[in-house]
């Protein structure tokens, strides 16, 4: 925050410090959207053109229109994802129309996994998945830089062990 005098002020202690997802996740999701819907448009256009006539091939433009809509929606969804490490728990917030905020207490964590599929690895991304005793509170943070995912895993594991030892 900045005051009228141009000096920065401290953030209140109870306000979480949010971290957004890296842009690599946005690039990956948009590329997948273009590849899959572009491929669908080509196949649909060829099939309809050959089987039903050239006029019907115009229906292949529908997946192309979906690319434009999906491009915007993926960007909005990516911007909605964020997480914050607090003293006693981890907050994960996401969603555009329906906001969802998950609070995972460190002492309730049973397992913290870092996963990275082949497409994620190609884009240099990894996901952190948190498992708790209650399946409803399991949470995932997708699309992190692998070094950040490992740091977060190690920190959450350390905090989880410290909190569960105090129970």
């Amino acid at each position: 925050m900045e005051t009228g005098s141009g000096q920065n002020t401290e953030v209140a202690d109870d306000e979480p410090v949010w971290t957004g997802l890296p842009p690599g996740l946005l690039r990956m999701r948009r590329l997948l959207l273009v590849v899959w819907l572009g491929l669908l448009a080509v196949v649909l256009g060829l099939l309809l053109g050959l089987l039903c006539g050239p006029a019907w091939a115009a229906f292949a433009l529908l997946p192309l229109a979906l690319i434009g809509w999906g491009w915007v929606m993926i960007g909005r969804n990516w911007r909605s994802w964020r997480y914050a490490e607090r003293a006693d728990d981890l907050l994960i917030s996401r969603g555009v129309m329906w906001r969802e905020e998950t609070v995972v207490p460190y002492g309730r964590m049973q397992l913290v996994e870092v996963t990275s599929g082949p497409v994620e690895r190609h884009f240099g991304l990894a996901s952190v998945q948190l498992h708790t005793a209650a399946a409803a509170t399991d949470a995932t943070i997708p699309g992190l830089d692998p070094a950040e995912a490992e740091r977060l895993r190690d920190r959450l594991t350390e905090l989880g062990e410290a909190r569960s030892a105090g129970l």
Side-chain angles (χ1 to χ4, degrees):
M1 273 187 190
E2 192 169 291
T3 62
S5 64
Q7 295 177 347
N8 288 336
T9 59
E10 292 291 321
V11 176
D13 289 336
D14 58 345
E15 284 295 315
V17 178
W18 293 101
T19 304
L21 298 182
L25 179 65
L26 178 63
R27 283 192 299 274
M28 179 189 78
R29 287 181 174 174
R30 283 181 169 170
L31 179 66
L32 290 174
L33 172 78
V34 169
V35 166
W36 287 111
L37 287 179
L39 184 61
L40 177 64
V42 169
V43 169
L44 188 62
L46 287 173
L47 285 177
L48 287 174
L50 292 173
L51 298 176
C52 302
W56 287 92
F59 281 104
L61 296 175
L62 290 174
L64 296 179
L66 285 175
I67 288 175
W69 178 78
W71 189 276
V72 172
M73 292 298 109
I74 287 172
R76 289 183 66 194
N77 180 268
W78 171 78
R79 282 188 300 277
S80 75
W81 275 86
R82 58 192 186 156
Y83 65 96
E85 300 171 60
R86 296 194 305 184
D88 296 321
D89 51 33
L90 177 73
L91 298 175
I92 302 171
S93 178
R94 65 197 166 280
V96 178
M97 289 183 67
W98 287 273
R99 298 283 308 158
E100 186 175 331
E101 194 165 287
T102 304
V103 179
V104 184
Y106 297 133
R108 301 284 181 173
M109 288 185 212
Q110 292 183 331
L111 175 67
V112 181
E113 287 182 296
V114 174
T115 59
S116 186
V119 176
E120 285 179 311
R121 280 194 308 274
H122 177 76
F123 283 89
L125 302 171
S127 296
V128 174
Q129 181 154 9
L130 311 157
H131 299 279
T132 63
T137 57
D138 285 0
T140 301
I141 304 173
L144 296 174
D145 177 68
E148 170 64 9
E150 290 177 15
R151 183 206 65 81
L152 190 58
R153 178 200 59 207
D154 293 344
R155 176 162 163 69
L156 296 176
T157 302
E158 179 183 308
L159 289 168
E161 288 172 356
R163 297 300 190 281
S164 65
L167 293 178

